[in-house]
Amino acid sequence: MVMGGRCRATRGPVGGENKGEVQPRQGVCVGAGPRAASRGGAWTVQPNPLGAEPPAEAPMARPRVRLVVTADDFGYCPRRDEGIVEAFLAGAVTSVSLLVNGAAAESAAELARRHHIPTGLHANLSEGRPVGPARHSTSSLLSPEGFFLGKMGFREAVAAGDVDLPQVREELEAQLSRFRELLGSDPTHVDGHQHVHVLPGVCQVFAEALQVCGVRFTRLPLERGVGGCTWLEAPARAFACAVERDARAAVGPFSRHGLRWTDAFVGLSTCGRHMSAHRVSGALARVLEGIPTGHTLTAELMAHPGYPSVPPTGGCGEGPDAFSCSWERLHELRVLTTPTLWARLAQDGVQLCALLDLDSKRPGQGVPGEATLETFLEPSPPSP
């Protein structure tokens, strides 16, 4: 999907009668490619909505980056899902990751089927209620109230050796089974809510479970240079660097069990209020440092677009959290669906694609997650 072409889309509501509607809007999208033609008339394609004529040498040179844009937390609440589908239909998101214990998981699955959205599992071990056997018994994964231990609570329990890894396996298998019930198919990929899938010990169990069920793609949240991103608040930067360390250590288990991932990852430095065309472009520029001209990298941009949750609707059993209720969800949606970002990335030689498109890499291009791994395993500079 070469990002040099643009289209103007006019579409109707996403949710249908008595469901959350996405107001019809005209958005410029770049790189929608065949998807625009497959909407049954929902798209009106105009090669140049802004009126400028393309240059005579229209075909873009071989892309420097093939970019997957994944919207996390699909199924968290109807308003978040509304924004995610809007971004997908605008050509700004190429895949989603579904929370099967989310309050809106069933309606999200229906949206994914209706709009043919490539959907993976957002494995959740840290927020809300479980879907597996732990629901009916005491578990090392849960608080006395029956909820997961939280973003930091789960990490602390893992570090202290208090998490029973067979119980992790049971819950992952239950979430994979629930995904198949909802979608009628296997996930295109599996990643981790709040990056739990790269935690020590958990990553081994995760890799084993994915290998058994035949899922090949995951996420390696290893963002080059994130430790030097001074705009991140100190707690956010410390968390990003901890995720980076865990991801580096997870490479071994992931590789041994045949998992694949993109060559590079972006999203820890561009989350929420920190997302802008300049910062996304800058993160991809860091990815390309030291990469020979003519070599095409694969990369994933993690995003959390949507309309903010309004309590008490949403969440994974405890209501929506502050992250989901924040205006920053809408900020990400606006950045992703305005032309500025995509015009800039097109100039940088970035081409959008779906995750499964990476299987079609030509001989000699390497396998996602292997070609440039040594470059990205170098630790980020320490935080000042």
Side-chain angles (χ1 to χ4, degrees), residues 356-377:
L356 295 183
D357 291 340
L358 302 183
D359 269 346
S360 63
K361 294 184 81 171
R362 291 185 295 275
Q365 285 185 283
V367 174
E370 294 180 2
T372 54
L373 187 57
E374 295 79 7
T375 302
F376 298 106
L377 288 180

Side-chain angles (χ1 to χ4, degrees), residues 47-102:
N48 225 327
L50 303 183
E53 289 301 319
E57 55 286 287
M60 193 175 84
R62 180 176 174 179
R64 295 217 66 197
V65 179
R66 300 180 72 199
L67 181 67
V68 176
V69 182
T70 305
D72 285 1
D73 300 343
F74 198 46
Y76 195 87
C77 84
R79 285 177 55 81
R80 291 282 300 278
D81 296 345
E82 184 180 321
I84 288 170
V85 173
E86 181 175 324
F88 175 77
L89 293 179
V93 159
T94 62
S95 68
V96 299
S97 291
L98 175 69
L99 287 162
V100 296
N101 71 333

Side-chain angles (χ1 to χ4, degrees), residues 100-248:
V100 296
N101 71 333
E106 291 187 8
S107 59
E110 196 278 327
L111 288 170
R113 290 193 302 269
R114 184 190 312 171
H115 298 290
H116 309 287
I117 304 174
T119 304
L121 172 65
H122 205 40
N124 184 3
L125 300 170
S126 57
E127 183 179 354
R129 293 192 182 277
V131 301
R135 288 179 300 168
H136 309 296
S137 61
T138 58
S139 170
S140 66
L141 305 180
L142 306 180
S143 69
E145 295 73 32
F147 296 107
F148 286 131
L149 300 174
K151 176 179 174 179
M152 301 311 298
F154 182 67
R155 283 170 162 76
E156 291 165 1
V158 169
D162 293 336
V163 169
D164 185 349
L165 292 178
Q167 292 177 345
V168 170
R169 177 70 176 261
E170 282 184 339
E171 180 62 24
L172 286 173
E173 290 173 345
Q175 292 188 20
L176 285 161
S177 178
R178 179 60 177 153
F179 183 98
R180 295 187 193 100
E181 291 174 4
L182 290 168
L183 272 296
S185 63
D186 288 328
T188 58
H189 63 277
V190 182
D191 53 37
H193 185 49
Q194 299 169 340
H195 310 291
V196 295
H197 67 303
V198 296
L199 289 171
V202 175
C203 64
Q204 175 70 28
V205 173
F206 177 86
E208 291 171 358
L210 266 59
Q211 183 180 43
V212 168
C213 73
V215 175
R216 293 172 297 160
F217 282 105
T218 189
R219 170 185 292 166
L220 191 72
L222 187 62
E223 181 172 344
R224 192 175 190 184
V226 72
C229 295
T230 55
W231 58 85
L232 294 176
E233 297 84 353
R237 205 177 337 159
F239 179 74
C241 290
V243 169
E244 181 189 48
R245 288 192 297 271
D246 291 335
R248 198 176 300 117

